Amino acid sequence: MRGLKEEHAGVRIAHQRKLAGLTQRGLAARLPYSYSLLRQVEEGRKNASPDLVSAVARELRIDVTVLTGQPYVTELQQDRLAALIRPIREALDLYDLYDVSDLSHASDGRHASDGRHMSDRHDVSGRCAVSVPHDAGGTRAQHDARTPAELAAQADELCRMVRATQLSKAAHALPAFIAEVTAAAHRSRTTALWQTLGSAYRTAHDIATKLGFYDLATIALDRLGWAAERGSDPLLAAVRQYMRALTYFREGEHTIGLRLIDAGHRVLSRVDSAEQEARDTLVVRGQLHLGASVIAARAHDADAVGSHLREAASYARRTGEAERVYWLSFGPANVAVHEVSAQVEMRRYGKALEKSRDVRLPHGWPMSRRAHFYVDRARAEMETGHSDAALGSVVTARKLAPEQTRYHPGARETISGLVAQRRRTPDSLDNMAAWLCL
């Protein structure tokens, strides 16, 4: 298979191990995994599970992305997504400037190559500073400042795009939108505008995470906390702690992740008593428990996993399906999906597969969540010897969310594992591996 030997995580683990001056036995002795498993992973005969990767990264004191190969620059360039990251990075960097109108190249995601220039202005009357496109003849387009309600509606639409896995479309629009809302928030300093800016930062985090730019995702979370503080929005602040916890989950830092979950609960404890039982508050509380369940699963704490899932289920019974509350997709379906994820993280693949068969995804559930579920199920199917079913699940994830699946390390490792398991790969598996550039 083209490039497979050079691409899989086991080869990267072997390379980094040698750089650290460790033998296979020496590294295995420091891990909660056997020498035999590590050897098979390095040789590509076993899949490198996320928990093994995070354990190796932690022991070698390197970032997980060094072992996963993220971001997948070649594929990003092929999909014309790599060029979208710098404008987002610049937009995040200008958070404390009143006049951010010089994000000229980022406005509406257009670049000089499409025949339009950008010109900038700052309205002397105090309106938002907005990058405004010229047409090809050089005439300035009219673009009045939008109302807070209109800005909030676009922030919501960007969140919807990401959940629909329209990553390219959202990434094109985001930098200019951040510039516009930043100017509006600094000018008016209203709770609503700070909340809208926080939502834009949330979208930046989600895009960066899905494309593998975790350093940028961390910056976006810092900006989210900054905006949430100015907007006096405890729910948004708690959502930020949830998202920070998942960052440490990826790195295998279970204790820190759970401490951040606790910090999120403490933020919610300061909500006005009248708001404690509000649906939005219950949704965020429930989602914090779901985050804790997968972090505890990575730590192989089955009792804690069960406790958090029960707490989340109790909130879900009260909220029902709440897909649009901070776009967390909380509800009974997400509890069921997280139970599958937790079983996978605890390497109880048979149990995960059994639980996955009982999952019923609601009509209209976000494509991003659907695709993530199928990637989890594929891993359980592969590990239990259901190779054809595993391939089918990854194919389903690709149909639902092609951009997300292409850059999902779990999907890539599952396909690599399937290729390694088979002496002769069917055309469908060959095609999927080629699409993932493996």
Side-chain angles (χ1 to χ4, degrees):
M1 180 57 55
R2 176 176 61 85
L4 181 62
K5 181 174 176 56
E6 291 76 16
E7 288 293 333
H8 71 79
V11 169
R12 300 188 190 98
I13 289 172
H15 177 66
Q16 293 298 321
R17 171 180 59 74
K18 292 172 185 176
L19 288 178
L22 292 172
T23 64
Q24 286 180 334
R25 290 190 184 278
L27 177 57
R30 303 183 183 190
L31 302 173
Y33 299 93
S34 68
Y35 159 71
S36 175
L37 176 61
L38 178 62
R39 179 168 52 82
Q40 291 180 79
V41 165
E42 289 192 0
E43 292 172 355
R45 294 187 289 115
K46 280 281 189 180
N47 199 37
S49 64
D51 50 335
L52 185 147
V53 168
S54 64
V56 171
R58 189 167 61 253
E59 189 59 44
L60 297 182
R61 298 188 178 186
I62 57 177
D63 194 86
V64 164
T65 56
V66 174
L67 301 180
T68 59
Q70 294 168 289
Y72 307 118
V73 175
T74 299
E75 295 88 321
L76 286 162
Q77 290 172 339
Q78 289 174 350
D79 293 342
R80 299 185 179 181
L81 288 170
L84 302 180
I85 294 301
R86 181 174 177 178
I88 294 174
R89 193 182 297 277
E90 291 175 349
L92 293 176
D93 193 44
L94 301 179
Y95 68 103
D96 56 349
L97 301 184
Y98 178 86
D99 183 352
V100 292
S101 59
D102 54 353
L103 285 179
S104 56
H105 63 285
S107 181
D108 298 326
R110 286 188 286 266
H111 300 269
S113 61
D114 67 3
R116 298 170 73 99
H117 321 284
M118 311 312 331
S119 180
D120 311 314
R121 67 174 170 87
H122 190 78
D123 194 325
V124 294
S125 66
R127 295 211 234 216
C128 299
V130 187
S131 296
V132 186
H134 283 292
D135 60 24
T139 303
R140 182 182 297 278
Q142 296 299 314
H143 188 43
D144 293 328
R146 288 184 284 183
T147 67
E150 290 171 332
L151 292 172
Q154 181 166 348
D156 205 48
E157 173 62 11
L158 288 170
C159 284
R160 186 205 62 78
M161 286 181 193
V162 173
R163 281 14 175 224
T165 67
Q166 298 170 349
L167 301 182
S168 178
K169 185 177 181 181
H172 271 90
L174 184 61
F177 181 67
I178 290 177
E180 183 178 2
V181 182
T182 300
H186 278 293
R187 185 188 77 248
S188 300
R189 298 184 180 275
T190 64
T191 294
L193 283 169
W194 289 121
Q195 290 172 332
T196 297
L197 183 57
S199 178
Y201 290 148
R202 158 77 181 278
T203 294
H205 165 271
D206 291 348
I207 291 172
T209 298
K210 290 180 184 298
L211 297 182
F213 290 89
Y214 294 118
D215 63 327
L216 184 59
T218 299
I219 294 171
L221 282 185
D222 287 344
R223 302 294 180 263
L224 173 55
W226 179 83
E229 181 179 356
R230 281 153 183 76
S232 300
D233 188 340
L235 296 187
L236 189 58
V239 169
R240 173 181 175 255
Q241 298 292 45
Y242 160 76
M243 297 165 77
R244 287 180 70 199
L246 294 186
T247 297
Y248 285 95
F249 162 74
R250 187 186 70 247
E251 296 292 335
E253 297 288 353
H254 319 123
T255 302
I256 298 176
L258 291 173
R259 286 176 61 187
L260 289 168
I261 293 292
D262 288 341
H265 283 297
R266 288 197 299 274
V267 170
L268 294 180
S269 70
R270 297 195 290 270
V271 172
D272 292 342
S273 57
E275 296 296 319
Q276 289 287 346
E277 295 300 310
R279 187 170 184 249
D280 287 8
T281 305
L282 298 178
V283 164
V284 177
R285 285 193 186 280
Q287 193 69 27
L288 284 167
H289 281 293
L290 290 183
S293 72
V294 293
I295 294 172
R298 181 68 64 87
H300 299 278
D301 188 343
D303 290 340
V305 169
S307 176
H308 285 297
L309 286 174
R310 285 190 295 273
E311 288 287 342
S314 70
Y315 285 113
R317 286 191 291 270
R318 298 163 68 184
T319 64
E321 297 295 345
E323 297 168 16
R324 294 176 66 90
V325 176
Y326 291 94
W327 293 92
L328 293 171
S329 299
F330 182 73
N334 212 0
V335 174
V337 165
H338 274 73
E339 184 168 9
V340 173
S341 295
Q343 297 298 335
V344 169
E345 292 299 333
M346 291 189 289
R347 301 200 291 275
R348 298 177 176 179
Y349 300 114
K351 189 71 171 177
L353 194 52
E354 176 187 332
K355 292 290 183 181
S356 74
R357 296 185 180 117
D358 296 330
V359 172
R360 298 292 179 268
L361 303 180
H363 177 72
W365 221 46
M367 292 298 181
S368 59
R369 294 298 303 132
R370 289 176 181 272
H372 189 91
F373 165 70
Y374 279 105
V375 170
D376 273 347
R377 191 165 86 173
R379 183 176 161 198
E381 289 166 335
M382 182 191 68
E383 295 289 354
T384 54
H386 297 83
S387 299
D388 290 339
L391 175 58
S393 290
V394 179
V395 169
T396 298
R398 175 185 177 179
K399 289 178 179 177
L400 293 170
E403 288 182 332
Q404 175 175 301
T405 302
R406 183 164 161 88
Y407 299 104
H408 195 300
R412 300 171 73 89
E413 280 302 310
T414 296
I415 293 300
S416 292
L418 291 174
V419 171
Q421 287 177 4
R422 296 192 175 191
R423 294 183 179 178
R424 182 181 183 280
T425 58
D427 290 344
S428 54
L429 181 54
D430 282 344
N431 291 338
M432 179 63 75
W435 178 68
L436 291 170
C437 294
L438 298 177

